[in-house]
Amino acid sequence: MCGIAGQYQFGAQDASPADLERVSLHQRSRGPDARGIFSINNMALAHRRLKIFDLSERAAQPMVDHGLGLALTFNGEIYNFLELRRELEGLGYVFVSDSDTEVVLKAFHAWGKACIRRFNGMFAFAIWDWETEKLVLARDRMGIKPLYYTKKADTFEFASSLPALLQFKGIDTSIDRDALYYYLTFHAVPEPLTLLAGIRKLPPATILTIDPDGTRHEETYWRLQINEERADHTLTVKDWLAATEETLSKATQRQLAADVPTGILLSGGLDSSLLVALAAQRNSADLKTFAIGFEEVNGQSGDEFVYSDLVAEHFGTDHTQIFVPNTDLNEALADCVSAMSEPMVSHDNIGFYLLSHEVAKHVKVALSGQGADEIFAGYHWFEKLEQEPPGPAQRSAQTIADTVADRSYGEYKRLVSPHFHSNEHSGTFLESLATANGSPHPIDNLLAYESTFAMANGPLSRVDNMTMAAGLEARVPFLDDKVVDLAASMPLGYKMADGGKAILKRLGRKLLPKAVVDRPKGYFPVPALNQVQGRTLSMLRGVLSIDNIRKRGIFNASAVQNLLDNPLTQLTPAGASKLWQVGLLEYWLQRQGV
């Protein structure tokens, strides 16, 4: 996993290696092991490398093949690259490295853009074709790896992170009105928008081609659809259990592959514990696991060490327990926010940030249980829609909005200044999502919402940004292509029963200590932020001072004061602090120098 960047000038002006050097330096934590820049006339590519496969210089990037006329800057991993390499060797291609990067380069030459459908992995990359002078960018199916680009007429610029992209010159950093509405309604912004008007992000499962004259062509190469009417109802629960164990086990073993030390982030919950159990089937003696905990606040526990310790002891892993006092948490918060490509409301960002910095002292790759709640229906709010009758996409849109929206449109208009009173977009956005999913069932469309937009712009962004800030590669076996395809074809009952994630709980009862499975669902607890009081509240009062509010011009001062006066009672349906959501936006803008 790495940091990539590039610049393509459409006029007579040459690309600027100096610009790329500045952007690349801002991504050094994503790739602390090596750096490189390739420049030819009006095109320049940059790369920061975190060495995972083939640690030699033969796998250095940007990777240039003069014989094929291609140059590549690549971020991520292709888990099936060895199979693809054998296929390419059969076609006559000769390899000089043992990296997946070279496989991507030669696969593109052999199969063109169609090669992307063959990749099982997490990735964002850009390939420059000398002959056609076209730049092709692509992002993985689920959006595990990010890719941001500028919105300019005469230049195309891109990078792995928004803060790095800001190092290019001439970017419009005004607030995008539509994006602000989405952020304050769904605590995330859908692609291609970002909160900054001059920056966009490539949607997951998308290929973007840039022609020499600047013309852009965008195509979607895959779409997740969750539809009970198309699910495979021919299999029994025994069949599904066996298929889930086999598919998830293979995905876990695939994603443990590396030429550097690997480990697992073990929260003590069902999902990460299953990864430990499946990884331990091959070798538990050398398996490293890591858990983090925080101080309790007002009786709210800040750790689940009792469960992570139980799993680690059961499987005999080399376990590290990390405890973070609130003083350390508050000191790290500024750097954590700076590392965000977009403001991310979930209070567990700081947990991932601090955990990643500790884990990176021991391993360079860590598996995470992210994604299981979305694709196997683990969230408690799914139950509310299970019995909703089928209907048109408009009905699904309204039902989803009623379930997940942070605030009503009326409350939004009271919160922001009149300049940002944009149209009410949620209905159109959610209706479009439901239509694309192709199911008349609101529960299917809510699952699609959580597994696409909400996950890519929430949990997956969080895991990428926070681990990469520490030079740690995070992998997510539950989002392996084969696991996602399995979950999408599984009838709803095998997921929704037993309080959610029914098939995973069955697997857990087979592989894990009973106490880990049959307990209330836990979330990454960070009480000092979840409670929003003490030093955190004092910090937010400073960030949201009257002077700052007036200078920025986004928020209504009286509405912000109401949030400051009632920090513990004004919560979103998911239980997040509305004050933290508002304060984080202003704090993030400050930390980005905007």
Side-chain angles (χ1 to χ4, degrees), residues 120-160:
N120 182 352
M122 55 179 188
F123 55 84
F125 63 78
I127 289 184
W128 168 248
D129 186 321
W130 267 294
E131 183 178 350
T132 64
E133 295 188 333
K134 291 185 178 182
L135 180 68
V136 178
L137 303 98
R139 194 174 174 203
D140 66 71
R141 299 196 326 176
M142 303 302 291
I144 303 169
K145 293 291 97 192
L147 191 59
Y148 293 86
Y149 60 91
T150 55
K151 186 182 177 184
K152 296 180 180 178
D154 58 351
T155 310
F156 180 83
E157 297 154 336
F158 67 90
S160 292

Side-chain angles (χ1 to χ4, degrees), residues 328-556:
D328 290 358
L329 185 152
N330 283 282
E331 289 171 2
L333 188 58
D335 290 338
C336 171
V337 173
S338 295
M340 296 178 181
S341 279
E342 300 174 72
M344 294 179 281
V345 175
S346 177
H347 56 265
D348 61 3
N349 281 287
I350 187 66
F352 271 105
Y353 180 85
L354 292 167
L355 176 62
S356 298
H357 278 79
E358 290 300 317
V359 172
K361 298 174 183 177
H362 304 271
V363 299
K364 294 185 78 169
V365 174
L367 271 58
S368 168
Q370 218 68 46
D373 282 315
E374 288 82 1
I375 66 168
F376 285 104
Y379 293 129
H380 64 82
W381 52 86
F382 290 147
E383 297 178 20
K384 300 177 184 178
L385 273 67
E386 187 175 8
Q387 302 305 320
E388 284 285 324
Q394 186 177 10
R395 180 187 296 172
S396 280
Q398 186 59 57
T399 303
I400 294 171
D402 292 343
T403 304
V404 303
D406 296 331
R407 52 180 52 81
S408 67
Y409 181 56
E411 184 182 343
Y412 168 77
K413 290 177 68 176
R414 291 190 293 273
L415 176 61
V416 301
S417 64
H419 174 71
F420 290 102
H421 286 182
S422 66
N423 293 328
E424 199 281 322
H425 298 291
S426 64
T428 302
F429 168 63
L430 295 174
E431 187 174 340
S432 175
L433 186 149
T435 299
N437 190 49
S439 172
H441 299 281
I443 181 59
D444 287 343
N445 295 321
L446 176 60
L447 284 164
Y449 166 93
E450 293 288 355
S451 299
T452 54
F453 157 70
M455 182 164 60
N457 294 287
L460 293 182
S461 293
R462 177 164 66 248
V463 171
D464 172 85
N465 290 186
M466 299 301 106
T467 56
M468 282 283 87
L472 175 71
E473 173 170 296
R475 299 177 179 178
V476 281
F478 282 100
L479 299 183
D480 183 275
D481 287 1
K482 302 298 184 184
V483 178
V484 171
D485 292 344
L486 175 84
S489 67
M490 185 180 294
L492 192 62
Y494 296 116
K495 293 180 281 191
M496 291 287 293
D498 200 7
K501 292 193 292 193
I503 201 71
L504 296 185
K505 288 177 180 176
R506 280 182 176 269
L507 183 58
R509 293 186 186 105
K510 176 182 177 182
L511 302 177
L512 300 172
K514 185 176 185 298
V516 175
V517 182
D518 295 314
R519 68 179 181 98
K521 178 176 174 56
Y523 293 90
F524 210 142
V526 189
L529 289 185
N530 194 36
Q531 297 285 314
V532 190
Q533 53 188 300
R535 291 182 62 180
T536 304
L537 181 56
S538 296
M539 182 272 289
L540 288 175
R541 290 189 186 281
V543 168
L544 294 171
S545 68
I546 288 293
D547 286 346
N548 285 341
I549 292 296
R550 288 174 177 168
K551 181 180 178 182
R552 185 74 64 186
I554 295 176
F555 295 112
N556 181 328

Side-chain angles (χ1 to χ4, degrees), residues 243-354:
T244 301
E245 180 174 7
E246 179 183 10
T247 306
L248 186 56
S249 178
K250 287 181 178 179
T252 302
Q253 299 302 334
R254 253 194 308 273
Q255 298 197 22
L256 281 169
D259 294 335
V260 293
T262 62
I264 297 179
L265 307 181
L266 175 60
S267 69
L270 172 64
D271 311 329
S272 61
S273 298
L274 278 174
L275 297 182
V276 172
L278 295 169
Q281 291 176 348
R282 187 172 67 175
N283 184 4
S284 62
D286 297 326
L287 184 60
K288 298 181 185 298
T289 54
F290 305 88
I292 191 170
F294 301 87
E295 285 185 46
E296 74 169 44
V297 174
N298 289 342
Q300 181 185 7
S301 175
D303 69 73
E304 293 192 323
F305 286 151
V306 62
Y307 298 110
S308 55
D309 286 352
L310 178 61
V311 173
E313 182 179 355
H314 183 81
F315 292 103
T317 70
D318 178 3
H319 187 59
T320 300
Q321 188 184 95
I322 302 161
F323 179 77
V324 180
N326 286 342
T327 51
D328 290 358
L329 185 152
N330 283 282
E331 289 171 2
L333 188 58
D335 290 338
C336 171
V337 173
S338 295
M340 296 178 181
S341 279
E342 300 174 72
M344 294 179 281
V345 175
S346 177
H347 56 265
D348 61 3
N349 281 287
I350 187 66
F352 271 105
Y353 180 85
L354 292 167

